[in-house]
Amino acid sequence: MRMVDLIAKKRDGQALSKQEIDFIVAGYTCGDIPDYQMSAWAMAVYFQGMTAEEVSHLTMAMAFSGDTVDLSAIAGIKVDKHSTGGVGDTTTLILAPLVAAAGIPVAKMSGRGLGHTGGTIDKLEAIPGFHAELPIDRFIDNVNTIKAAVIGQTGNLTPADKKLYGLRDVTGTVNSIPLIASSIMSKKIAAGADAIVLDVKTGAGAFMKDIEEARQLAEAMVEIGRNTGRATIAVLSDMSQPLGYAVGNALEVREAIETLRGCGPDDLTRLVLTLGAHMVVLGGKAADYESGYAYLEELIRSGEALQALKALVTAQGGSADVIDNPDLLPQAKHSIPVYAAADGYVHAIQAEEIGLAAMLLGAGRQTKESDIDLAVGILLRKKVGDSVKAGELLAMLHTNQLRVSEVVGKVFAAYDIRDTPCEEPPLICGLVR
Ligand code: URA
Ligand code: CA
């Protein structure tokens, strides 16, 4: 087999066989196929697309291109969740203990934040003493005993995806549905998921700006799930503003605790219950979505979900006192307000800009090596649909530096405020299964 022939075949719109796709993925991973040939192939895929079978073969070839996580020592259906990029997306922090309390084993590998997006591991490390690095056998033991563990990525998972994603980033081939769908699903499968709930974001702040594109991506991923034996459901959710009010590590931990107490932000709570209800159905702990939703609401009301967070934190060395008293979380020295300039209504809040503003305060990393400040971030006070008066508080910066005029300007500019009233946008915009 020669790579040049496979590039030409895809360029001419023909489907590649499993053997051909395996050859490409293996050859690129080990370095036999150079970047320039892989770039040409990715561009051919960008223009010609792939059949459902090709996408499934590509997904499995990437999923098994390196180490995989073996969760077979954990009884039960391992249901994973993935969100296609969010700002202030505190959902994992809430969902892990919540669905664990419902009896679903949660063996979660999460990432650190980069750029404008936060990472679950950084957020958890805002809890004093919390260890995200557990040996794999401890990780599995914890899931077997208390149903949940969340650790940082270990091992060399999906090296083919890592390399290809890096290449796509600099060759104009990121925005291809077969390539995005296979990239995301390969990582879930390598991490040991039996079933997957996807949160596909749509709207100005999302990767997929319009709902039709988001739906196509969701359909592609659900089809991969069907073809590879991993039951998959995708929820389409709005990203015309950050989720909840908090953006920043310790601030989001506090918001997660409040949500598990039943007094979190309405949008965050509804999204968590929606994703969680699908997870408990796929995990066999509820007969249908409605009963799953009601079950999770009851686990919040009864305090069992909060108890599950305490168990998770304690088992990984963290101080559970923080959960009873969130004032023990790291706190920034200064609060700096951002005010509205005129009367009006909030039509949108650019999530990416808020994420970048939080990063500039020190909550996120500019590069993989940057140190972060777990205490700092942004608390929004106004959300889409709210009315504002000139001089009213839009958001509060929590910061350890005082020279933040650039950040104040960024947060101010992220708010789209107009004269006309505006409805709160629907949070859940669709379901693909
Ligand atoms: N996220 C991923 O993991 N892969 C893509 O290709 C795009 C977004
Ligand atoms: Ca949030």
Side-chain angles (χ1 to χ4, degrees):
M1 236 181 271
R2 295 192 315 159
M3 184 61 177
V4 62
D5 300 325
L6 303 182
I7 296 169
K9 191 170 175 184
K10 183 44 59 186
R11 178 201 64 204
D12 296 340
Q14 290 176 261
L16 301 175
S17 68
K18 177 180 186 307
Q19 287 69 29
E20 288 168 334
I21 289 171
D22 286 346
F23 171 84
I24 294 172
V25 172
Y28 185 55
T29 307
C30 76
D32 287 352
I33 294 173
D35 281 348
Y36 53 83
Q37 285 192 307
M38 199 64 181
S39 309
W41 179 79
M43 189 59 83
V45 170
Y46 180 93
F47 281 112
Q48 294 290 1
M50 286 184 135
T51 66
E53 292 83 73
E54 285 181 288
V55 180
S56 297
H57 294 321
L58 177 60
T59 302
M60 291 309 254
M62 292 201 295
F64 292 94
S65 64
D67 298 338
T68 56
V69 184
D70 179 6
L71 299 179
S72 57
I74 299 169
I77 303 170
K78 275 74 73 181
V79 189
D80 204 351
K81 166 253 163 193
H82 179 82
S83 166
T84 64
V87 169
D89 188 340
T90 320
T91 53
T92 300
L93 226 47
I94 306 164
L95 272 170
L98 180 58
V99 305
I104 306 257
V106 178
K108 182 90 183 149
M109 278 199 181
S110 273
R112 293 183 185 278
L114 186 62
H116 70 278
T117 57
T120 300
I121 295 301
D122 296 325
K123 295 172 197 181
L124 283 166
E125 284 179 351
I127 298 170
F130 189 91
H131 285 291
E133 267 91 56
L134 295 183
I136 205 84
D137 50 345
R138 263 284 298 289
F139 173 61
I140 287 176
D141 279 352
N142 283 10
V143 180
N144 276 327
T145 50
I146 61 161
K147 288 288 179 214
V150 183
I151 61 171
Q153 250 125 43
T154 60
N156 180 30
L157 261 53
T158 60
D161 173 67
K162 206 165 286 163
K163 225 176 147 186
L164 179 56
Y165 197 17
L167 187 71
R168 287 164 53 210
D169 209 20
V170 293
T171 56
T173 50
V174 168
N175 228 327
S176 150
I177 284 177
L179 296 180
I180 299 171
S182 55
S183 168
I184 292 172
M185 291 295 282
S186 69
K187 285 180 279 223
K188 296 288 110 182
I189 292 170
D194 298 321
I196 301 158
V197 174
L198 298 162
D199 175 17
V200 179
K201 305 288 192 187
T202 172
F207 214 56
M208 293 284 142
K209 308 283 177 214
D210 73 65
I211 177 90
E212 268 326 300
E213 263 187 319
R215 186 179 298 280
Q216 281 173 29
L217 175 61
E219 280 167 357
M221 292 192 286
V222 168
E223 183 151 32
I224 293 171
R226 190 158 39 238
N227 291 339
T228 60
R230 272 80 174 174
T232 301
I233 291 180
V235 172
L236 304 179
S237 76
D238 174 65
M239 264 296 281
S240 59
Q241 59 181 339
L243 199 57
Y245 291 92
V247 181
N249 299 289
L251 297 172
E252 289 184 49
V253 171
R254 180 187 283 267
E255 192 168 59
I257 293 167
E258 284 164 2
T259 305
L260 287 167
R261 283 190 191 290
C263 47
D266 183 57
D267 59 347
L268 180 59
T269 302
R270 278 188 293 132
L271 183 59
V272 161
L273 288 170
T274 302
L275 297 171
H278 290 300
M279 291 175 80
V280 296
V281 171
L282 289 183
K285 301 292 177 185
D288 54 37
Y289 172 78
E290 286 73 23
S291 55
Y293 199 100
Y295 181 24
L296 296 180
E297 283 184 308
E298 181 50 33
L299 291 172
I300 290 176
R301 223 179 346 256
S302 68
E304 286 167 82
L306 194 70
Q307 211 51 49
L309 177 63
K310 278 190 195 172
L312 165 69
V313 166
T314 306
Q316 294 188 230
S319 153
D321 294 346
V322 161
I323 292 152
D324 293 320
N325 181 8
D327 287 342
L328 297 172
L329 286 164
Q331 299 206 40
K333 289 203 224 34
H334 313 290
S335 299
I336 300 201
V338 181
Y339 296 117
D343 294 1
Y345 299 85
V346 180
H347 280 244
I349 306 171
Q350 287 177 48
E352 195 172 324
E353 290 300 302
I354 298 290
L356 286 172
M359 183 192 80
L360 292 173
L361 293 178
R365 292 183 184 79
Q366 319 230 18
T367 71
K368 276 185 194 146
E369 286 72 37
S370 319
D371 283 327
I372 59 172
D373 185 339
L374 296 167
V376 305
I378 299 168
L379 280 181
L380 306 179
R381 294 299 179 85
K382 294 287 182 183
K383 298 258 310 202
V384 174
D386 289 347
S387 69
V388 298
K389 296 257 171 272
E392 216 184 339
L393 194 59
L394 291 176
M396 189 67 88
L397 311 185
H398 291 253
T399 172
N400 285 321
Q401 326 144 214
L402 281 169
R403 293 171 60 158
V404 293
S405 55
E406 185 197 349
V407 183
V408 169
K410 220 175 188 34
V411 172
F412 178 82
Y415 272 83
D416 176 8
I417 296 175
R418 304 185 200 172
D419 293 339
T420 48
C422 168
E423 295 276 300
E424 190 187 336
L427 177 68
I428 310 293
C429 338
L431 180 70
V432 176
R433 61 199 316 167

